[in-house]
Structure formats: structure tokens, C-alpha cells
Amino acid sequence: MIISPAVEFYDVVTRTHSEGGDALRSVLAEVDPSAGPILDVGAGTGRTVQIIAEAVPGARIVAVEPDLVMRTVLTHRVVADDDLRSRVTILADDAQGMAIPETLSAVVLYGVVGMLDRDERARLWDRLLPRLAPGAPVVVELLPIEQPQTLPPMPYAKERIGEHLYEATLRGEPGEDDLMVLNTTWRITGEEGEVRTVHGTSQWHTFGLDDLARETGLTAERLTLQAGLLRASG
């Protein structure tokens, strides 16, 4: 996994692309937290943790985040909130090495599945699926890219913070096998012009909902362009 130097702008991106968070709230509103904790794999800076906590009052949350920079922000967010501090357990593991509770009432996989190749996904499903409580949802973040392709530069995010305007463009190129190489360029400008420019590169193993349904044996449903739902049928 490649950690992009543009990681500092993670929350700017999630504010711009908020549909996935709205879909997550909707799905989790139906979850029974008595079945077990909610597992948030790749919790990042804690945006999804906060959504989970608000959507499912009283739920215990296990937040897994291997990246030190993001986990530092996540820990700060949890420590600063009395409710989160009492409910959230933070693990500094990756998706392959994390400890998984015996039973899970829901699983959130935002920004994670594309970091794993097919074999790594298979091992993840082998560990996760036996732990799902009956009817437990697995909510997955999606990119509208199901196979490697060339993406011309396009606007990606835009946010004003104080006196500075943050703007990002995204472009992509196909890599080997199922990989997409995604390049972001962030330009921060003020009244006197450009303050700085930051370039980031990341890799994403492309997949579609049909691929996940086939791999897991779960029923797959697209919620939005940014989110999909996996759940056992019946």
C-alpha cells in the first residue's frame, strides 16, 4: 500500500464527496448493536467512526487504522469526545493482521477494499464472514471504476479554509493486472496567488459489486456511486 503525501487533505476530500457518509448512516440506522461491536476497517481520521457513533447510539466500535498520521488524528478525535472515548477501541493493525471480535453487528470498509488484491480480499472475507451476526451489513466504499482505464484530469475536491482555497484534480492510468494508478494534484492559493502544490500517488485494485458478491456469497446492492451494501440474503 502506498501512503500519499496528500494524506493531509483526506478530510477535505470526504467533505466534498459526502454521499458515502449519508449512505452509511442510512444502513446503520437499522443495526442492532446488541449483536456485537461494529468493525470499522481503515477508520482513517475518524469520520466514519463519528458517523457510526451517531447512527447507532450505544454501539461499541472497533476502529482499525494502520497509518500513523491518520491514526493520530483519529485518536485525537476520540479522546476529545466523552462518548467516543467510552465506546471506541483503536487498533493499529492492517486489514490482514487485525484482531476481529467474535461476533459483529456490522462492518464498514471505506477506502480499504481497493487497497487489497484478489488474494488479500479472499483472506479478509475468510476471516470476516464467519463473524457476522445474522443480517449484519457490510458497507463498502466504491469508486466508479470497475476496471483499469485512463482517466483524464478532472476536478476532485474544493474547499476554502481560512484565507486559502484548496483545489484538487485527479487523473488515472491503468497499471498491471487490475491496478489503477491515481495521481492527485493539490493547489493551495491565497490572495497573492499560489501558496504551495502537493502531488500524491496511490494505487487502487479495481473491482465491482458483482466481484464482491461472487467472492463473499453475499447479496450486493449499490447504494450510491460511492457506497455499496453486502448482506446475506434472506
Side-chain angles (χ1 to χ4, degrees):
M1 180 174 66
I2 297 174
I3 300 298
S4 169
V7 67
E8 67 174 290
F9 308 116
Y10 177 81
D11 282 347
V12 179
V13 173
T14 56
R15 275 179 54 84
T16 301
H17 303 279
S18 60
E19 288 183 5
D22 295 339
L24 181 58
R25 285 187 183 89
S26 177
V27 170
L28 293 181
E30 303 176 1
V31 165
D32 177 6
S34 67
I38 296 174
L39 180 64
D40 185 357
V41 185
T45 61
R47 180 184 71 104
T48 47
V49 167
Q50 199 150 29
I51 290 172
I52 294 166
E54 293 169 357
V56 194
R60 290 174 294 135
I61 303 166
V62 177
V64 181
E65 179 48 59
D67 179 62
L68 176 59
V69 175
M70 288 194 177
R71 194 171 65 253
T72 300
V73 181
L74 166 64
T75 302
H76 173 78
R77 189 190 297 251
V78 170
V79 168
D81 185 298
D82 290 343
D83 180 56
L84 293 181
R85 194 167 63 248
S86 68
R87 297 164 57 192
V88 180
T89 300
I90 300 172
L91 302 182
D93 300 316
D94 58 22
Q96 303 300 331
M98 63 184 173
I100 303 176
E102 190 66 29
T103 307
L104 299 167
S105 61
V107 177
V108 178
L109 297 168
Y110 271 29
V112 172
V113 177
M115 298 294 184
L116 308 176
D117 63 29
R118 295 184 188 93
D119 291 340
E120 290 170 332
R121 290 204 306 263
R123 291 194 291 273
L124 177 63
W125 302 135
D126 284 346
R127 299 186 65 211
L128 275 183
L129 296 181
R131 306 296 179 93
L132 295 178
V138 179
V139 192
V140 181
E141 186 176 44
L142 305 172
L143 290 183
I145 305 168
E146 297 190 4
Q147 58 187 8
Q149 58 189 276
T150 298
L151 294 178
M154 64 184 68
Y156 182 49
K158 184 176 181 179
E159 185 77 34
R160 181 168 291 280
I161 304 174
E163 297 179 356
H164 290 166
L165 179 65
Y166 293 68
E167 294 180 283
T169 57
L170 172 71
R171 62 181 177 86
E173 299 291 340
E176 295 183 2
D177 192 22
D178 61 353
L179 273 178
M180 278 287 296
V181 180
L182 302 171
N183 297 286
T184 55
T185 299
W186 284 88
R187 288 188 171 86
I188 299 92
T189 56
E191 290 184 0
E192 298 182 1
E194 188 167 295
V195 176
R196 62 189 173 109
T197 300
V198 178
H199 300 283
T201 299
S202 61
Q203 295 183 347
W204 184 263
H205 294 274
T206 55
F207 64 89
L209 270 176
D210 289 344
D211 297 317
L212 301 188
R214 183 170 54 253
E215 293 169 2
T216 62
L218 302 177
T219 299
E221 175 188 352
R222 180 178 287 276
L223 303 173
T224 70
L225 283 176
Q226 300 173 17
L229 172 65
L230 300 171
R231 200 195 308 256
S233 58

